[in-house]
Amino acid sequence: METVFSAKAWATVWQYRATFLNGLLNTLQSAVVGLIIAMVLGFALGLLATSARRGLRAVARVYVEFFQNTPLILQVCFLYYALAYSGIKISVVMVGFISLGLYHGAYVAEVVRAGITAIPFGQFDAARSQGFDYLDTMRYIILPQTVKIILPPMVNQMVALIKNTSCLYIIGGADLIATTYNFVTGASTGGAYGPAYLVGGLMFFAVCYPLSMMAGRWEQKLKQRDAAQASAQHEEKDGGKEAET
């Protein structure tokens, strides 16, 4: 605990501040690439999960249940060592990208599925009556309406993904947690545990907290907008009834 108040320890952290910034950049890079993979997988699986075909829904369900109910750190280790022992040469960074994408793809899929099922089913029937097939219905009618529903939880998934990059240190990644660990155990920098981990935590907080606040405010605004629209529709109905009488 005394290292937290050690001027020497803080001076050492400040001297190597570029190391922490590089770790943060690597973390953000992993998060961005992992998020792209997760979004592609998530939307594809979300569409499968709402398909009329039972087999496609089953594929999506199995994927989601498997990845949501096994720890990310276990998936990272399995993918890393399975590829290594099978003779497939792939960088640690790429393993991190794929692991994060596969894991969070399951959660994005659930967000997309929930957004699609929140749309009144009558709109599917209306689209079918106009000659739209399933993909066109999703592309032109359903998905544009789900955007406002899924964006807040998508931002929350982004926050969770950024924090989960910390699992990559187990395979020797260059993320912020791994950088911090290497710093506090280094021959010339070891011992500054308190300041180093505190700085690492503050860096995560500086990235994740604004995103969390944005998601919360976004969701609140959407709820207020929906309430205002519902109130306006109710007033129109009441006005119509009064006009009839």
Side-chain angles (χ1 to χ4, degrees):
M1 184 66 181
E2 62 271 10
T3 59
V4 176
F5 304 102
S6 171
K8 182 179 178 181
W10 280 103
T12 303
V13 171
W14 176 253
Q15 181 182 354
Y16 289 89
R17 59 189 180 279
T19 301
F20 290 90
L21 290 174
N22 186 58
L24 178 61
L25 290 176
N26 288 334
T27 286
L28 294 178
Q29 181 187 36
S30 297
V32 169
V33 178
L35 181 64
I36 292 172
I37 297 173
M39 293 286 283
V40 173
L41 274 175
F43 271 92
L45 290 167
L47 292 175
L48 292 182
T50 56
S51 172
R53 298 183 180 181
R54 182 177 299 177
L56 297 180
R57 295 200 305 270
V59 169
R61 193 74 255 152
V62 169
Y63 182 95
V64 168
E65 293 297 339
F66 175 80
F67 281 93
Q68 284 192 351
N69 291 288
T70 53
L72 173 58
I73 195 168
L74 178 64
Q75 297 171 23
V76 171
C77 290
F78 175 81
L79 182 61
Y80 177 73
Y81 290 108
L83 291 175
Y85 283 111
S86 63
I88 299 175
K89 295 182 179 180
I90 185 172
S91 67
V92 171
V93 173
M94 188 58 66
V95 171
F97 293 162
I98 296 172
S99 300
L100 290 170
L102 292 176
Y103 180 77
H104 283 277
Y107 288 91
V108 173
E110 283 295 272
V111 172
V112 173
R113 182 193 62 79
I116 292 174
T117 55
I119 304 300
F121 193 77
Q123 297 201 24
F124 288 89
D125 293 333
R128 193 178 300 112
S129 68
Q130 296 298 317
F132 286 89
D133 60 20
Y134 178 76
L135 291 178
D136 286 339
T137 300
M138 287 294 177
R139 180 181 178 183
Y140 295 109
I141 299 175
I142 304 302
L143 289 181
Q145 297 182 72
T146 64
V147 171
K148 70 175 184 178
I149 300 173
I150 68 176
L151 277 179
M154 281 294 187
V155 176
N156 288 329
Q157 280 303 312
M158 188 186 308
V159 173
L161 194 152
I162 293 172
K163 291 187 292 186
N164 280 338
T165 58
S166 60
C167 292
L168 302 183
Y169 92 95
I170 198 69
I171 57 172
D175 60 287
L176 181 55
I177 294 298
T179 299
T180 305
Y181 178 78
N182 291 334
F183 177 86
V184 300
T185 57
S188 60
T189 58
Y193 294 96
Y197 282 117
L198 184 58
V199 167
L202 289 174
M203 284 183 166
F204 270 107
F205 183 82
V207 174
C208 295
Y209 180 71
L211 290 174
S212 297
M213 291 296 294
M214 182 178 70
R217 291 177 180 176
W218 207 338
E219 187 172 8
Q220 188 63 30
K221 286 182 179 180
L222 291 175
K223 288 181 179 180
Q224 292 175 353
R225 185 184 304 172
D226 290 341
Q229 290 176 351
S231 177
Q233 292 175 356
H234 183 71
E235 290 178 358
E236 288 180 1
K237 290 181 180 180
D238 290 343
K241 291 179 180 179
E242 290 178 359
E244 289 178 1
T245 56

